[in-house]
Amino acid sequence: MRAEARRRAGVRAGRRKAAGRAAPAATWSGRFAEPVSERVKRYTASVGFDTRLAHEDIRGSLAHAEMLRAAGLISTRELADIRRGMAVVTREIEAGRFEWSLDAEDVHLNIERRLTALVGEAGKKLHTARSRNDQVATDVRLWLRSQLDAIALLLRRLQLELVDAAERHAAVVMPGFTHLQVAQPVTFGHHLLAYFEMFERDRARLADCRRRLNVLPLGAAALAGTGYPIRRERVARSLGFDAVAENSLDAVSDRDFAIEFAACAAIAMMHCSRLSEELVLWTSPGFGFVTLPDRFCTGSSIMPQKKNPDVPELARGKTGRVYGHLIALLTLMKAQPLAYNKDNQEDKEPLFDTADTLRETLAMFVELVPGIRIDAARMRAAALQGHATATDLADYLVRKGMPFRDAHEVVARAVRRAEETGRDLAALPLSELRGFSSRIRSDVRRVLTPEGSVAARRHVGGTAPAQVLRAARRARLRLRG
Ligand code: ARG
């Protein structure tokens, strides 16, 4: 552990306060002829980062202790001692008074050691019928489960903001792009609801990940299970798990749930990053489609005119590190023989950072989206460039009886003329358009406007303002279900 990380975690390095007193033996040290070196201790300890699991560790221990009591493995009195001791430990941790020690290696042994100092014998019995291997697997699952729930809520809030904004801007026309070239007019509301769909899939993926995560490893002990008459279903129920892990070897060594979560997070970050990229483009003067409130932007130390979209840029940048964590976790697991290996300790930092980054990014967007101000006139003006309604003209000719391929060719020629004379297709006068096909009549005008174009696409999934409003209504219902 780096000194800096140690300071942050408030971990005391090695030495005890009372001079001359030998460092306390590690929990497993009776077998060893010499203590581990300070460097090894620092290298192998996880207490610099796994204290984030303290709450889940205590919760898991209390459920385990209750089971030990029910199975007759500890007395009622001992259970009461453990509960009383854990209440003290909890208070100490919450008040920042708990002395995390590198000697006790990780969050589990630190808490157990403090418990034993507080309540004696009962503390020493807590580890009956379990191992740190099934303990840590349980803690991480509990921790991640609450993160999943928090993230799902944030996704939902972001989706609501998107639906609200989509309704506000249901009829605002803008160019839709393919290849970042103007393609066809769309409504801004429709564009926003595309992101609703992405985040809806993210929520579904997380819910699916949660189902597989919510299985109890405790009872697997070190790897082979335990000879004590344990009651795993009871522990599962009290910790809110849906089932107990079926195989003890798998229970202690499986980190699929972490990888799955990282994959879900990577995809969700990718969605945030795409939205970010669009905001960066749209706020640049060349587009000028939207402005972000000043509180989300910063200036330049040299260029007085600058207003930079830092928040979306950073979200785009942070996406890379979440991808990195996914690869780190996959690589962590790929060569591990069954069952637990110390490698697994390396699952925590990527996992913590993945959850933090996604949570903070989503929370940021929940605030940012309602702050987006649009310049509807600029958006519409941009939709009047690039011959965005060329497809509409082709469709018009099809409605007048021309086969689509022929219509495509007629319009292509008209576009070429417009290009050569520096005009938009929609700006060509009727007489000139009729030169390309006599089927074109004055009713073509509406067809060539962005409003006419979007209004025509009124089927489910289409960009028409009326359909956007209906889609927004359906979206709200889906969020409720
Ligand atoms: N700190 C360890 C981890 O994070 C806890 C489990 C240790 N188990 C062991 N057999 N050394 O994975």
PDB file of all heavy atoms in Angstrom, residues 44 46 49-50 105-108 131-133 136 255 340-342 344-348, ligand 1:
ATOM      1  N   THR A  44       0.883  -7.220   0.678  1.00  0.00           N
ATOM      2  CA  THR A  44      -0.230  -8.184   0.681  1.00  0.00           C
ATOM      3  C   THR A  44      -1.496  -7.664   1.359  1.00  0.00           C
ATOM      4  O   THR A  44      -2.562  -8.234   1.185  1.00  0.00           O
ATOM      5  CB  THR A  44       0.181  -9.498   1.376  1.00  0.00           C
ATOM      6  OG1 THR A  44       0.643  -9.184   2.696  1.00  0.00           O
ATOM      7  CG2 THR A  44       1.272 -10.212   0.612  1.00  0.00           C
ATOM      8  N   SER A  46      -4.820  -5.555   2.283  1.00  0.00           N
ATOM      9  CA  SER A  46      -5.858  -4.878   1.504  1.00  0.00           C
ATOM     10  C   SER A  46      -6.584  -3.824   2.334  1.00  0.00           C
ATOM     11  O   SER A  46      -7.514  -3.180   1.833  1.00  0.00           O
ATOM     12  CB  SER A  46      -6.864  -5.899   0.951  1.00  0.00           C
ATOM     13  OG  SER A  46      -7.378  -6.701   1.989  1.00  0.00           O
ATOM     14  N   PHE A  49      -7.744  -0.346   1.154  1.00  0.00           N
ATOM     15  CA  PHE A  49      -8.915  -0.068   0.300  1.00  0.00           C
ATOM     16  C   PHE A  49     -10.164  -0.850   0.674  1.00  0.00           C
ATOM     17  O   PHE A  49     -11.270  -0.419   0.384  1.00  0.00           O
ATOM     18  CB  PHE A  49      -8.587  -0.298  -1.182  1.00  0.00           C
ATOM     19  CG  PHE A  49      -7.866  -1.596  -1.477  1.00  0.00           C
ATOM     20  CD1 PHE A  49      -8.593  -2.754  -1.678  1.00  0.00           C
ATOM     21  CD2 PHE A  49      -6.482  -1.653  -1.543  1.00  0.00           C
ATOM     22  CE1 PHE A  49      -7.950  -3.955  -1.963  1.00  0.00           C
ATOM     23  CE2 PHE A  49      -5.827  -2.854  -1.832  1.00  0.00           C
ATOM     24  CZ  PHE A  49      -6.558  -4.012  -2.038  1.00  0.00           C
ATOM     25  N   ASP A  50      -9.996  -2.009   1.354  1.00  0.00           N
ATOM     26  CA  ASP A  50     -11.219  -2.810   1.560  1.00  0.00           C
ATOM     27  C   ASP A  50     -12.036  -2.385   2.779  1.00  0.00           C
ATOM     28  O   ASP A  50     -13.068  -2.993   3.073  1.00  0.00           O
ATOM     29  CB  ASP A  50     -10.920  -4.316   1.549  1.00  0.00           C
ATOM     30  CG  ASP A  50     -10.105  -4.783   2.746  1.00  0.00           C
ATOM     31  OD1 ASP A  50      -9.871  -3.984   3.665  1.00  0.00           O
ATOM     32  OD2 ASP A  50      -9.695  -5.969   2.739  1.00  0.00           O
ATOM     33  N   GLU A 105      -4.015  -6.874   8.342  1.00  0.00           N
ATOM     34  CA  GLU A 105      -4.118  -7.211   6.922  1.00  0.00           C
ATOM     35  C   GLU A 105      -5.303  -6.660   6.150  1.00  0.00           C
ATOM     36  O   GLU A 105      -5.138  -5.963   5.166  1.00  0.00           O
ATOM     37  CB  GLU A 105      -4.101  -8.742   6.777  1.00  0.00           C
ATOM     38  CG  GLU A 105      -3.771  -9.235   5.394  1.00  0.00           C
ATOM     39  CD  GLU A 105      -3.729 -10.769   5.325  1.00  0.00           C
ATOM     40  OE1 GLU A 105      -3.216 -11.412   6.273  1.00  0.00           O
ATOM     41  OE2 GLU A 105      -4.217 -11.313   4.344  1.00  0.00           O
ATOM     42  N   ASP A 106      -6.490  -7.028   6.589  1.00  0.00           N
ATOM     43  CA  ASP A 106      -7.648  -6.593   5.801  1.00  0.00           C
ATOM     44  C   ASP A 106      -8.809  -6.197   6.706  1.00  0.00           C
ATOM     45  O   ASP A 106      -8.722  -6.264   7.935  1.00  0.00           O
ATOM     46  CB  ASP A 106      -8.066  -7.683   4.796  1.00  0.00           C
ATOM     47  CG  ASP A 106      -8.373  -9.023   5.443  1.00  0.00           C
ATOM     48  OD1 ASP A 106      -8.706  -9.040   6.650  1.00  0.00           O
ATOM     49  OD2 ASP A 106      -8.262 -10.062   4.748  1.00  0.00           O
ATOM     50  N   VAL A 107      -9.882  -5.788   6.076  1.00  0.00           N
ATOM     51  CA  VAL A 107     -11.040  -5.306   6.830  1.00  0.00           C
ATOM     52  C   VAL A 107     -11.597  -6.396   7.754  1.00  0.00           C
ATOM     53  O   VAL A 107     -12.007  -6.133   8.881  1.00  0.00           O
ATOM     54  CB  VAL A 107     -12.129  -4.766   5.861  1.00  0.00           C
ATOM     55  CG1 VAL A 107     -12.646  -5.859   4.937  1.00  0.00           C
ATOM     56  CG2 VAL A 107     -13.282  -4.117   6.603  1.00  0.00           C
ATOM     57  N   HIS A 108     -11.556  -7.638   7.269  1.00  0.00           N
ATOM     58  CA  HIS A 108     -12.168  -8.736   8.034  1.00  0.00           C
ATOM     59  C   HIS A 108     -11.428  -8.990   9.340  1.00  0.00           C
ATOM     60  O   HIS A 108     -12.023  -9.086  10.405  1.00  0.00           O
ATOM     61  CB  HIS A 108     -12.196 -10.018   7.197  1.00  0.00           C
ATOM     62  CG  HIS A 108     -12.446  -9.769   5.750  1.00  0.00           C
ATOM     63  ND1 HIS A 108     -13.666  -9.346   5.290  1.00  0.00           N
ATOM     64  CD2 HIS A 108     -11.635  -9.850   4.655  1.00  0.00           C
ATOM     65  CE1 HIS A 108     -13.586  -9.174   3.972  1.00  0.00           C
ATOM     66  NE2 HIS A 108     -12.366  -9.471   3.569  1.00  0.00           N
ATOM     67  N   SER A 131     -14.723 -18.933   6.473  1.00  0.00           N
ATOM     68  CA  SER A 131     -13.361 -18.579   6.095  1.00  0.00           C
ATOM     69  C   SER A 131     -13.427 -17.160   5.548  1.00  0.00           C
ATOM     70  O   SER A 131     -14.502 -16.676   5.193  1.00  0.00           O
ATOM     71  CB  SER A 131     -12.894 -19.544   5.003  1.00  0.00           C
ATOM     72  OG  SER A 131     -11.984 -18.925   4.127  1.00  0.00           O
ATOM     73  N   ARG A 132     -12.276 -16.515   5.481  1.00  0.00           N
ATOM     74  CA  ARG A 132     -12.314 -15.203   4.852  1.00  0.00           C
ATOM     75  C   ARG A 132     -12.687 -15.331   3.372  1.00  0.00           C
ATOM     76  O   ARG A 132     -13.118 -14.364   2.755  1.00  0.00           O
ATOM     77  CB  ARG A 132     -10.961 -14.495   4.993  1.00  0.00           C
ATOM     78  CG  ARG A 132     -10.829 -13.716   6.280  1.00  0.00           C
ATOM     79  CD  ARG A 132      -9.524 -12.962   6.313  1.00  0.00           C
ATOM     80  NE  ARG A 132      -8.380 -13.851   6.254  1.00  0.00           N
ATOM     81  CZ  ARG A 132      -7.162 -13.511   5.829  1.00  0.00           C
ATOM     82  NH1 ARG A 132      -6.945 -12.268   5.411  1.00  0.00           N
ATOM     83  NH2 ARG A 132      -6.177 -14.375   5.810  1.00  0.00           N
ATOM     84  N   ASN A 133     -12.515 -16.525   2.833  1.00  0.00           N
ATOM     85  CA  ASN A 133     -12.821 -16.685   1.409  1.00  0.00           C
ATOM     86  C   ASN A 133     -14.316 -16.558   1.120  1.00  0.00           C
ATOM     87  O   ASN A 133     -14.710 -15.856   0.196  1.00  0.00           O
ATOM     88  CB  ASN A 133     -12.286 -18.030   0.909  1.00  0.00           C
ATOM     89  CG  ASN A 133     -10.772 -18.121   1.039  1.00  0.00           C
ATOM     90  OD1 ASN A 133     -10.124 -17.115   1.328  1.00  0.00           O
ATOM     91  ND2 ASN A 133     -10.211 -19.302   0.837  1.00  0.00           N
ATOM     92  N   VAL A 136     -15.339 -12.782   2.292  1.00  0.00           N
ATOM     93  CA  VAL A 136     -15.102 -11.649   1.384  1.00  0.00           C
ATOM     94  C   VAL A 136     -16.018 -11.735   0.157  1.00  0.00           C
ATOM     95  O   VAL A 136     -16.531 -10.724  -0.327  1.00  0.00           O
ATOM     96  CB  VAL A 136     -13.608 -11.544   0.974  1.00  0.00           C
ATOM     97  CG1 VAL A 136     -13.173 -12.665   0.052  1.00  0.00           C
ATOM     98  CG2 VAL A 136     -13.333 -10.198   0.302  1.00  0.00           C
ATOM     99  N   ARG A 255     -16.076 -14.640  -9.580  1.00  0.00           N
ATOM    100  CA  ARG A 255     -16.186 -13.182  -9.620  1.00  0.00           C
ATOM    101  C   ARG A 255     -16.900 -12.745 -10.905  1.00  0.00           C
ATOM    102  O   ARG A 255     -16.787 -11.611 -11.339  1.00  0.00           O
ATOM    103  CB  ARG A 255     -14.795 -12.517  -9.547  1.00  0.00           C
ATOM    104  CG  ARG A 255     -14.056 -12.718  -8.233  1.00  0.00           C
ATOM    105  CD  ARG A 255     -14.735 -12.018  -7.053  1.00  0.00           C
ATOM    106  NE  ARG A 255     -13.991 -12.172  -5.819  1.00  0.00           N
ATOM    107  CZ  ARG A 255     -14.069 -13.211  -4.978  1.00  0.00           C
ATOM    108  NH1 ARG A 255     -14.903 -14.226  -5.252  1.00  0.00           N
ATOM    109  NH2 ARG A 255     -13.348 -13.252  -3.884  1.00  0.00           N
ATOM    110  N   TYR A 340     -10.153 -20.348  -4.333  1.00  0.00           N
ATOM    111  CA  TYR A 340      -9.721 -18.981  -4.034  1.00  0.00           C
ATOM    112  C   TYR A 340      -8.224 -18.827  -4.260  1.00  0.00           C
ATOM    113  O   TYR A 340      -7.430 -19.699  -3.912  1.00  0.00           O
ATOM    114  CB  TYR A 340     -10.057 -18.617  -2.575  1.00  0.00           C
ATOM    115  CG  TYR A 340      -9.551 -17.225  -2.207  1.00  0.00           C
ATOM    116  CD1 TYR A 340     -10.343 -16.107  -2.430  1.00  0.00           C
ATOM    117  CD2 TYR A 340      -8.274 -17.038  -1.687  1.00  0.00           C
ATOM    118  CE1 TYR A 340      -9.875 -14.833  -2.140  1.00  0.00           C
ATOM    119  CE2 TYR A 340      -7.803 -15.769  -1.393  1.00  0.00           C
ATOM    120  CZ  TYR A 340      -8.609 -14.671  -1.623  1.00  0.00           C
ATOM    121  OH  TYR A 340      -8.139 -13.417  -1.339  1.00  0.00           O
ATOM    122  N   ASN A 341      -7.841 -17.707  -4.837  1.00  0.00           N
ATOM    123  CA  ASN A 341      -6.433 -17.311  -4.911  1.00  0.00           C
ATOM    124  C   ASN A 341      -6.335 -15.868  -4.461  1.00  0.00           C
ATOM    125  O   ASN A 341      -7.281 -15.090  -4.621  1.00  0.00           O
ATOM    126  CB  ASN A 341      -5.916 -17.433  -6.347  1.00  0.00           C
ATOM    127  CG  ASN A 341      -6.044 -18.845  -6.863  1.00  0.00           C
ATOM    128  OD1 ASN A 341      -5.237 -19.707  -6.549  1.00  0.00           O
ATOM    129  ND2 ASN A 341      -7.084 -19.101  -7.644  1.00  0.00           N
ATOM    130  N   LYS A 342      -5.184 -15.540  -3.958  1.00  0.00           N
ATOM    131  CA  LYS A 342      -5.004 -14.172  -3.449  1.00  0.00           C
ATOM    132  C   LYS A 342      -5.200 -13.129  -4.545  1.00  0.00           C
ATOM    133  O   LYS A 342      -5.519 -11.970  -4.264  1.00  0.00           O
ATOM    134  CB  LYS A 342      -3.610 -14.052  -2.818  1.00  0.00           C
ATOM    135  CG  LYS A 342      -3.326 -12.719  -2.130  1.00  0.00           C
ATOM    136  CD  LYS A 342      -4.027 -12.567  -0.790  1.00  0.00           C
ATOM    137  CE  LYS A 342      -3.463 -11.361  -0.022  1.00  0.00           C
ATOM    138  NZ  LYS A 342      -4.138 -11.176   1.268  1.00  0.00           N
ATOM    139  N   ASN A 344      -7.583 -12.623  -6.141  1.00  0.00           N
ATOM    140  CA  ASN A 344      -8.932 -12.069  -6.034  1.00  0.00           C
ATOM    141  C   ASN A 344      -9.006 -10.784  -5.235  1.00  0.00           C
ATOM    142  O   ASN A 344      -9.953 -10.015  -5.378  1.00  0.00           O
ATOM    143  CB  ASN A 344      -9.879 -13.106  -5.428  1.00  0.00           C
ATOM    144  CG  ASN A 344     -10.273 -14.153  -6.439  1.00  0.00           C
ATOM    145  OD1 ASN A 344     -10.107 -13.945  -7.638  1.00  0.00           O
ATOM    146  ND2 ASN A 344     -10.753 -15.283  -5.973  1.00  0.00           N
ATOM    147  N   GLN A 345      -8.017 -10.589  -4.402  1.00  0.00           N
ATOM    148  CA  GLN A 345      -7.988  -9.339  -3.640  1.00  0.00           C
ATOM    149  C   GLN A 345      -7.937  -8.133  -4.588  1.00  0.00           C
ATOM    150  O   GLN A 345      -8.353  -7.040  -4.230  1.00  0.00           O
ATOM    151  CB  GLN A 345      -6.773  -9.349  -2.715  1.00  0.00           C
ATOM    152  CG  GLN A 345      -6.683  -8.166  -1.786  1.00  0.00           C
ATOM    153  CD  GLN A 345      -5.685  -8.419  -0.676  1.00  0.00           C
ATOM    154  OE1 GLN A 345      -5.934  -9.210   0.214  1.00  0.00           O
ATOM    155  NE2 GLN A 345      -4.541  -7.760  -0.749  1.00  0.00           N
ATOM    156  N   GLU A 346      -7.414  -8.380  -5.771  1.00  0.00           N
ATOM    157  CA  GLU A 346      -7.292  -7.309  -6.772  1.00  0.00           C
ATOM    158  C   GLU A 346      -8.620  -6.963  -7.441  1.00  0.00           C
ATOM    159  O   GLU A 346      -8.667  -6.133  -8.342  1.00  0.00           O
ATOM    160  CB  GLU A 346      -6.263  -7.695  -7.842  1.00  0.00           C
ATOM    161  CG  GLU A 346      -4.827  -7.586  -7.375  1.00  0.00           C
ATOM    162  CD  GLU A 346      -4.382  -6.134  -7.162  1.00  0.00           C
ATOM    163  OE1 GLU A 346      -4.557  -5.329  -8.095  1.00  0.00           O
ATOM    164  OE2 GLU A 346      -3.892  -5.810  -6.075  1.00  0.00           O
ATOM    165  N   ASP A 347      -9.694  -7.628  -7.041  1.00  0.00           N
ATOM    166  CA  ASP A 347     -10.985  -7.304  -7.666  1.00  0.00           C
ATOM    167  C   ASP A 347     -11.563  -5.988  -7.144  1.00  0.00           C
ATOM    168  O   ASP A 347     -12.386  -5.365  -7.801  1.00  0.00           O
ATOM    169  CB  ASP A 347     -12.012  -8.442  -7.456  1.00  0.00           C
ATOM    170  CG  ASP A 347     -12.369  -8.658  -5.979  1.00  0.00           C
ATOM    171  OD1 ASP A 347     -11.763  -7.998  -5.105  1.00  0.00           O
ATOM    172  OD2 ASP A 347     -13.243  -9.503  -5.701  1.00  0.00           O
ATOM    173  N   LYS A 348     -11.083  -5.581  -5.964  1.00  0.00           N
ATOM    174  CA  LYS A 348     -11.821  -4.514  -5.268  1.00  0.00           C
ATOM    175  C   LYS A 348     -11.626  -3.132  -5.854  1.00  0.00           C
ATOM    176  O   LYS A 348     -12.598  -2.411  -6.113  1.00  0.00           O
ATOM    177  CB  LYS A 348     -11.452  -4.524  -3.787  1.00  0.00           C
ATOM    178  CG  LYS A 348     -12.045  -5.729  -3.119  1.00  0.00           C
ATOM    179  CD  LYS A 348     -11.507  -5.994  -1.767  1.00  0.00           C
ATOM    180  CE  LYS A 348     -11.785  -7.424  -1.390  1.00  0.00           C
ATOM    181  NZ  LYS A 348     -11.144  -8.421  -2.314  1.00  0.00           N
TER     182      LYS A 348
HETATM  183  N1  ARG B   1      -8.304  -9.683   1.755  1.00  0.00           N
HETATM  184  C1  ARG B   1      -8.688 -10.876   1.090  1.00  0.00           C
HETATM  185  C2  ARG B   1      -9.353 -10.570  -0.246  1.00  0.00           C
HETATM  186  O1  ARG B   1      -9.640  -9.471  -0.464  1.00  0.00           O
HETATM  187  C3  ARG B   1      -9.626 -11.639   1.961  1.00  0.00           C
HETATM  188  C4  ARG B   1      -9.603 -13.113   1.722  1.00  0.00           C
HETATM  189  C5  ARG B   1      -8.295 -13.629   2.130  1.00  0.00           C
HETATM  190  N2  ARG B   1      -8.259 -15.050   2.092  1.00  0.00           N
HETATM  191  C6  ARG B   1      -7.111 -15.723   2.163  1.00  0.00           C
HETATM  192  N3  ARG B   1      -7.167 -17.012   2.106  1.00  0.00           N
HETATM  193  N4  ARG B   1      -5.956 -15.120   2.277  1.00  0.00           N
HETATM  194  O2  ARG B   1      -9.586 -11.420  -1.064  1.00  0.00           O
END
